[in-house]
Amino acid sequence: MKAFPTLIVCEHCDAVYRRPTLAPGEGVRCEICAAPFLRLSRLDVDHWLALTMTSAVIYVIANVCPIIRVSFNGLHNETTLWRSVAALAHGPVTLMAVPATLTVIVVPLLHMLLLGWVLLYARRGRRAPGFRIVMKLLVTLRPWSMIEVALIGILVSIIKLAGFLHVVPGVGLWAMGVLTVLFTLIASPDTRHLWSLTESDVAV
Amino acid sequence: MSMRPRAHELGVIGCHACGLVCEAPGTTTHATQCLLCGAVLHARRPNSLSLAWALLWAAMIFYIPANLLPVMHTDMLGSSSGSTIAAGIVEFWKSGSYGIALVIFTASVAVPCAKFLIIGLLLVTAQRRTPWARRERALLYRLVEQIGYWSMLDVLVVAIVAGLVKFKSLADIEPRLGILFFGGMVILTMLSAMQFDPRLTWDGNET
């Protein structure tokens, strides 16, 4: 079997192109289906890694600190992101806690850890141990990360509860806002580009 | 339509995971692996249409109890009530929060219904291999890919609200069965859209 590294195929319509050389920040759309199919990020590997590590720190804050605090008739209560999804596990909808935990907590964390792992090696032009598996996982995980949906969910909840409770946004909410921006930044560059930036130590 | 060659005509496959273009395995039906990343290569996703149809039907069936059953149960100073998704939207609208009512309506009603229609349309047209409106269908597919997961909003709102309002006998909110069906519907439509192979839109007769 042969491979053709000078070609590229649009994954949305199967049109074949010669692989173009792109400048950072430049992208091309498919002539046939108009899908944006190749894009080179403005971030270089060092910036990418730095942002990934920053998001990991913010992620910890967003998960440990309370996102909302409510008071009702002199009673107080507060919740963290983790406690919210765990709340689904009580009552008749236990099953729903699984996808909620995965999309809001597990998948984003896994995404940051795996991305950090390959980038750490990619800075030196090397492929991290497990590179193949990690790269495939990153492609699979991407659509299941829902941090931005969680952020809007928190805001809607605040408005919903503000009608009959005293609601105070917590540190965790601000951290979620920052995390949403950072996560979008680190998750949008095409990870497939890392294949051409690195060389394996052993022959594939 | 332009004369640009397509991968299956040239006997090559683009790897969905790493982008490398590999030689297609010829007439044999054996699955091949990408030379670079080892992902299994398919010229077209196997059983794409029937799997996408099955998941879409399952999602539409889930959407019925999701709307009929209450998504949460509120116990407030002795009086208790269950509320459905629609009741939640109406409540926001009546209290004057038109913006929030619109956000929830979009995420819980407009987006799921649009997804059912769009995926259904993509599947029917791909099945007929019609050249009709291919560029527009490709655009619809990308739209579904990008907006699909926003429907998860209502599930998370119920989770947060239920997690917070726990004041013993004074006030208590619990999630109810409707939200399980709703969440299931969101996941099933996402899987259905992922099963659909967008390259099928471009197969069949030229204009």
Side-chain angles (χ1 to χ4, degrees):
Chain A
M1 193 165 92
K2 281 185 297 185
F4 306 90
T6 56
L7 296 181
I8 187 156
V9 174
C10 170
E11 55 179 330
H12 282 203
C13 72
D14 228 16
V16 181
Y17 295 84
R18 274 189 203 294
R19 200 177 271 268
T21 353
L22 297 173
E26 205 183 358
V28 280
R29 275 179 183 275
C30 176
E31 289 169 14
I32 309 293
C33 71
F37 78 100
L38 198 63
R39 190 172 170 77
L40 189 55
S41 170
R42 259 179 237 281
L43 292 176
D44 62 31
V45 173
D46 280 341
H47 289 147
W48 200 356
L49 179 62
L51 284 173
T52 307
M53 289 163 95
T54 317
S55 1
V57 174
I58 303 286
Y59 172 90
V60 173
I61 300 174
N63 274 277
V64 170
C65 297
I67 45 173
I68 309 178
R69 195 181 147 84
V70 291
S71 327
F72 181 71
N73 287 1
L75 294 168
H76 302 286
N77 206 353
E78 56 184 28
T79 191
T80 56
L81 203 56
W82 171 254
R83 291 240 303 274
S84 305
V85 291
L88 281 176
H90 306 295
V93 294
T94 312
L95 215 68
M96 203 55 231
V98 178
T101 314
L102 285 178
T103 54
V104 178
I105 293 177
V106 179
V107 172
L109 177 65
L110 213 55
H111 195 107
M112 286 184 290
L113 291 178
L114 294 175
L115 189 60
W117 176 248
V118 287
L119 288 175
L120 206 59
Y121 282 81
R123 313 180 50 206
R124 283 169 287 159
R126 288 177 52 209
R127 286 180 188 168
F131 190 75
R132 280 177 154 203
I133 299 163
V134 173
M135 292 294 283
K136 268 186 278 184
L137 266 175
L138 283 173
V139 173
T140 318
L141 289 179
R142 179 67 194 100
W144 296 103
S145 186
M146 303 190 184
I147 289 196
E148 56 273 51
V149 184
L151 177 67
I152 303 296
I154 298 169
L155 297 177
V156 171
S157 309
I158 290 179
I159 295 164
K160 207 176 174 95
L161 293 174
F164 60 101
L165 298 170
H166 182 63
V167 187
V168 184
V171 173
L173 175 64
W174 305 113
M176 277 298 287
V178 177
L179 183 62
T180 303
V181 176
L182 285 173
F183 197 82
T184 313
L185 280 175
I186 61 163
S188 358
D190 195 342
T191 48
R192 291 180 298 184
H193 184 57
L194 290 173
W195 282 103
S196 51
L197 281 180
T198 55
E199 274 186 66
S200 63
D201 299 333
V202 282
V204 183
Chain B
M1 202 44 62
S2 125
M3 297 306 285
R4 189 160 280 286
R6 301 188 64 220
H8 73 105
E9 294 159 0
L10 298 182
V12 294
I13 302 176
C15 172
H16 64 94
C18 72
L20 183 73
V21 179
C22 295
E23 189 182 11
T27 48
T28 52
T29 49
H30 288 290
T32 33
Q33 287 188 317
C34 171
L35 290 173
L36 187 56
C37 73
V40 179
L41 295 175
H42 298 291
R44 297 290 176 272
R45 222 174 241 285
N47 303 322
S48 166
L49 292 176
S50 46
L51 281 171
W53 267 126
L55 290 162
L56 180 65
W57 277 111
M60 290 194 287
I61 292 168
F62 268 48
Y63 194 54
I64 300 168
N67 277 292
L68 295 179
L69 297 174
V71 289
M72 57 184 198
H73 183 84
T74 315
D75 251 316
M76 189 64 86
L77 299 166
S79 72
S80 68
S81 62
S83 65
T84 56
I85 291 174
I89 298 170
V90 171
E91 195 186 304
F92 271 124
W93 188 266
K94 277 186 179 159
S95 69
S97 315
Y98 303 118
I100 299 295
L102 270 176
V103 169
I104 303 187
F105 177 81
T106 309
S108 313
V109 182
V111 170
C113 291
K115 277 184 82 174
F116 296 150
L117 290 174
I118 293 174
I119 299 176
L121 176 81
L122 290 174
L123 289 172
V124 170
T125 48
Q127 237 157 13
R128 298 188 168 194
R129 301 166 71 88
T130 163
W132 171 75
R134 279 188 170 136
R135 275 181 90 98
E136 290 73 15
R137 280 152 62 198
L139 182 70
L140 284 176
Y141 173 75
R142 298 203 297 278
L143 191 74
V144 161
E145 251 194 337
Q146 276 161 25
I147 61 168
Y149 68 107
W150 278 100
S151 304
M152 213 60 172
L153 186 67
D154 233 17
V155 176
L156 295 171
V157 170
V158 169
I160 295 163
V161 169
L164 269 172
V165 186
K166 288 268 169 284
F167 296 107
K168 307 273 158 49
S169 53
L170 286 176
D172 187 45
I173 296 185
E174 257 200 355
R176 278 285 186 270
L177 210 54
I179 206 68
L180 183 63
F181 283 103
F182 190 84
M185 180 279 294
V186 178
I187 291 166
L188 287 167
T189 39
M190 281 180 73
L191 289 173
S192 174
M194 285 175 190
Q195 273 304 325
F196 176 70
D197 191 330
R199 293 172 290 195
L200 292 171
T201 296
W202 300 86
D203 287 345
N205 305 323
E206 288 299 312
T207 42

